[in-house]
Amino acid sequence: MNTQDMFPGFEPQPEVVAFTPTRQAGLARLEKFVSRAGRHYARRRNYDLGSMQRGNVSALSPWIRHRLITEQEVLNSTCSHHSMLAAEKFVQEVFWRTYFKGWLEQHPSVWVAYQDGLARALDADARSSDYQDAMAGRTGIACFDHWVQELVQSGYLHNHVRMWFASIWIFTLRLPWQLGADFFLRHLIDGDPASNTLSWRWVGGLHTKGKTYLARPDNIAKYTDGRFHPVGQLATVAEPLMEQVAHPLVQLPATDPTPKEECLLFITEEDCQVETLLPHTPMARLGLLAKQSLGVSAIAQNFSKSAVEATSGTLIDVTTPWRDQIIEAAMAAGTNTVVTGYAPVGPVADQLAALNLPEAGITLHHIRRDYDTLAWPHATKGFFGLKKKIPHILRELGFAV
Ligand SMILES: Cc1cc2nc3c(=O)[nH]c(=O)nc-3n(C[C@H](O)[C@H](O)[C@H](O)COP(=O)(O)OP(=O)(O)OC[C@H]3O[C@@H](n4cnc5c(N)ncnc54)[C@H](O)[C@@H]3O)c2cc1C
């Protein structure tokens, strides 16, 4: 079967997405894609036709992840081009990100357990040849080896590929899921603690307890337009992974009010557009790239670095004690008020928590977007709980739905 059989009358046009880490590039990609965010997306989104043909998905995740463009902007543009019914699928996919962010925020022990599990797996398996072969794309499973190269070279994979990849990693190669999640996080330019960790857990049967995702050769052949067909090479059963620990639901932290006084703006990869929430221009800006702590690839690091640098002007030098750099910058600007975008569970939040600025007489305000504050409380169990609230959330945000 080829693309013509799948979509009669549809000739896929070459469409390569240049992942330029600027807001302008994100907005340009949104503008180019949005007319296809309706039924076109709903029918064709599951096909991975290769990195030269990205027209059936938005490929907006790197810009959304850094909030160079926001979920609300994407939804706004979508709803101004399509009816809610036509764009339902795309809108729901955007809310999958919101769901994972909100869910991890309310189950933070999952992030801690992932890091502990990763450290243990690295101790046990770092030198194993199966693990090294998987990361080098030397497994002999042609599709998997191809996707490894694609990930390493471009920093992006199609959603369906990510699902097949994680499934093959866990159930065919029988490698610890934490090592796969870490491999993704180090290479994806949209690498995100919530979407990544929880998606890997979802594939392995840890998120929706007992429900796993099995990659099947025929499904891969169909949705890659016959480019791959790994018959006889993949696991045929996917027994759910088990864990001993329970992850309790915790209350969402309260959000800080936006300060009225002038401030130093502290920009991180969690929200490069936080300045738009301030009542006036900040006195100075400073940026932080926390990702370095994860040992990420040059391509993933460069995207985040450029995004934060372009919006902050100056990056903190994390190789020297950087708490002092914030204090000095605040003093130089003549303020003891520092504002940053709310950092959800992940390395940025971990690093901010360790700062202890009040001791130096500085107040750090973490500003959370209304979008998150409205949506996250509904992300406590399965996606359905949030999905049914989507119209309500959009109306609260001023959408005419
Ligand atoms: C194992 C695995 C790991 C993943 N790791 C990440 C990650 O680190 N960062 C990340 O942003 N996404 C991750 N995803 C989710 C999803 O694969 C990507 O968001 C999507 O492929 C990005 O491509 P796109 O922008 O063309 O998506 P589109 O299909 O165009 O969707 C639009 C937007 O909705 C959001 N979205 C779409 N699908 C999902 C989904 N299943 N889960 C969460 N958000 C979604 C993204 O922000 C995306 O940009 C992962 C999925 C899997 C299965």
Side-chain angles (χ1 to χ4, degrees):
M1 193 195 298
N2 61 31
T3 321
Q4 273 306 300
D5 302 327
M6 296 178 319
F7 318 129
F10 169 67
E11 285 228 28
Q13 302 295 320
E15 187 162 318
V16 180
V17 180
F19 292 111
T20 308
T22 62
R23 174 165 165 79
Q24 288 75 3
L27 289 172
R29 176 64 197 162
L30 174 60
E31 198 182 322
K32 184 164 175 125
F33 172 74
V34 71
S35 63
R36 287 173 251 150
R39 296 201 169 85
H40 183 287
Y41 175 83
R43 282 206 303 273
R44 295 168 186 165
R45 70 188 185 95
N46 277 329
Y47 289 89
D48 174 44
L49 305 176
S51 58
M52 306 300 280
Q53 289 177 32
R54 285 282 176 243
N56 59 331
V57 289
S58 74
L60 284 170
S61 51
W63 292 285
I64 297 175
R65 190 268 174 262
H66 293 82
R67 282 197 160 151
L68 282 168
I69 59 173
T70 64
E71 293 87 334
Q72 200 169 327
E73 288 177 308
V74 173
L75 294 168
N76 223 332
S77 175
T78 304
C79 293
S80 65
H81 281 77
H82 305 276
S83 68
M84 257 312 267
L85 191 62
E88 189 181 28
K89 199 69 217 167
F90 184 70
V91 168
Q92 281 170 14
E93 291 306 311
V94 174
F95 271 95
W96 264 102
R97 169 177 168 77
T98 312
Y99 166 71
F100 282 141
K101 297 302 291 179
W103 195 93
L104 190 63
E105 211 53 22
Q106 293 168 95
H107 300 84
S109 62
V110 168
W111 175 246
V112 178
Y114 157 67
Q115 288 173 303
D116 291 348
L118 174 62
R120 279 196 304 275
L122 282 170
D123 271 351
D125 292 303
R127 278 183 293 278
S128 95
S129 57
D130 288 350
Y131 173 49
Q132 294 300 333
D133 286 347
M135 288 193 301
R138 280 191 310 251
T139 64
I141 303 170
C143 54
F144 186 90
D145 293 346
H146 173 88
W147 296 327
V148 167
Q149 298 310 330
E150 190 179 333
L151 172 62
V152 170
Q153 284 162 21
S154 73
Y156 174 88
L157 289 176
H158 183 282
N159 180 58
H160 218 161
V161 169
R162 297 183 200 208
M163 291 162 65
W164 294 322
F165 189 114
S167 179
I168 295 170
W169 183 285
I170 296 170
F171 300 115
T172 299
L173 303 176
R174 307 195 75 79
L175 288 164
W177 72 268
Q178 295 94 335
L179 293 179
D182 173 61
F183 184 59
F184 264 28
L185 211 49
R186 287 188 288 112
H187 288 281
L188 286 170
I189 51 176
D190 63 21
D192 181 274
S195 291
N196 190 56
T197 312
L198 299 181
S199 295
W200 276 84
R201 286 172 57 86
W202 179 85
V203 170
L206 292 167
H207 186 72
T208 311
K209 295 272 174 265
K211 187 175 172 288
T212 54
Y213 177 77
L214 181 66
R216 296 176 196 276
D218 287 353
N219 183 263
I220 293 175
K222 174 176 175 188
Y223 288 105
T224 58
D225 194 17
R227 291 182 300 128
F228 300 108
H229 197 185
V231 178
Q233 289 192 294
L234 306 188
T236 52
V237 285
E239 287 294 331
L241 303 177
M242 308 291 261
E243 66 185 345
Q244 303 309 322
V245 281
H247 296 293
L249 177 76
V250 304
Q251 222 180 350
L252 280 171
T255 180
D256 296 337
T258 309
K260 297 210 172 32
E261 67 270 23
E262 296 192 313
C263 64
L264 168 75
L265 185 63
F266 189 46
I267 298 172
T268 74
E269 66 231 42
E270 300 296 354
D271 194 336
C272 291
Q273 286 300 307
V274 61
E275 187 161 347
T276 58
L277 303 176
L278 295 181
H280 36 63
T281 312
M283 303 172 84
R285 298 174 188 81
L286 199 56
L288 168 73
L289 186 67
K291 242 187 194 154
Q292 277 152 326
S293 65
L294 299 175
V296 293
S297 71
I299 194 167
Q301 190 148 176
N302 285 342
F303 191 99
S304 300
K305 183 166 183 268
S306 303
V308 177
E309 210 162 29
T311 43
S312 67
T314 318
L315 273 186
I316 278 181
D317 174 8
V318 287
T319 57
T320 61
W322 52 275
R323 179 175 179 268
D324 296 348
Q325 295 170 57
I326 301 177
I327 297 167
E328 272 165 31
M331 281 168 63
T335 180
N336 53 12
T337 302
V338 181
V339 172
T340 193
Y342 180 90
V345 168
V348 175
D350 292 346
Q351 298 200 14
L352 293 184
L355 263 180
N356 196 7
L357 288 174
E359 215 177 49
I362 289 183
T363 314
L364 179 63
H365 298 257
H366 307 76
I367 311 185
R368 197 157 71 209
R369 289 183 180 269
D370 291 347
Y371 177 86
D372 296 335
T373 298
L374 281 168
W376 286 355
H378 305 294
T380 51
K381 294 191 177 117
F383 177 68
F384 184 72
L386 175 61
K387 184 176 145 183
K388 65 180 189 224
K389 294 285 180 189
I390 292 175
H392 168 75
I393 294 165
L394 291 179
R395 274 194 296 275
E396 288 285 304
L397 291 167
F399 286 65
V401 291

